[in-house]
Amino acid sequence: DHSYALYSPIHLAALKNNIELLDLLLRKFPESIEIKNKKKITPLMVAAMEGNLEAFEFLLKKGARLENENEEKLNSLGFAAVYNRMNII
């Protein structure tokens, strides 16, 4: 269950696996790659929990960091494991 109000446009692009929009947003706002919502979730974590491999790989290629953690100390690979997204792990 997602609370879309907590997501920025780049979070939503990662959620929807929209590479074209991710690319556009990162060209305009490169710092948004590490933006965290109120629960300290990054766009890379969103891609991981959804199993969106294309978005996940694109964000990594653009410099997203795997070691970022949310408030529960989960990183992107932790989210992939919790949500059983073996294509990410």
Side-chain angles (χ1 to χ4, degrees):
D1 181 40
H2 295 286
S3 179
Y4 296 114
L6 295 177
Y7 284 163
S8 70
I10 194 166
H11 285 93
L12 292 172
L15 177 77
K16 297 299 183 184
N17 207 30
N18 188 329
I19 307 307
E20 186 177 326
L21 184 55
L22 283 171
D23 189 45
L24 173 69
L25 290 167
L26 289 173
R27 280 189 275 121
K28 289 276 195 187
F29 310 101
E31 70 283 357
S32 69
I33 196 162
E34 297 296 341
I35 194 170
K36 294 180 177 181
N37 70 7
K38 290 180 181 179
K39 296 186 181 229
K40 297 189 178 180
I41 293 173
T42 66
L44 187 65
M45 292 173 188
V46 172
M49 74 174 80
E50 289 298 313
N52 292 339
L53 186 60
E54 288 178 356
F56 187 82
E57 289 177 338
F58 180 81
L59 289 165
L60 282 177
K61 185 177 95 179
K62 293 293 184 178
R65 297 188 337 238
L66 279 172
E67 62 272 11
N68 282 330
E69 295 179 336
N70 74 342
E71 55 191 25
E72 296 168 357
K73 302 294 182 202
L74 277 177
N75 65 17
S76 295
L77 294 179
F79 272 105
V82 167
Y83 286 87
N84 200 30
R85 307 300 188 188
M86 295 302 133
N87 63 323
I88 300 291
I89 300 169

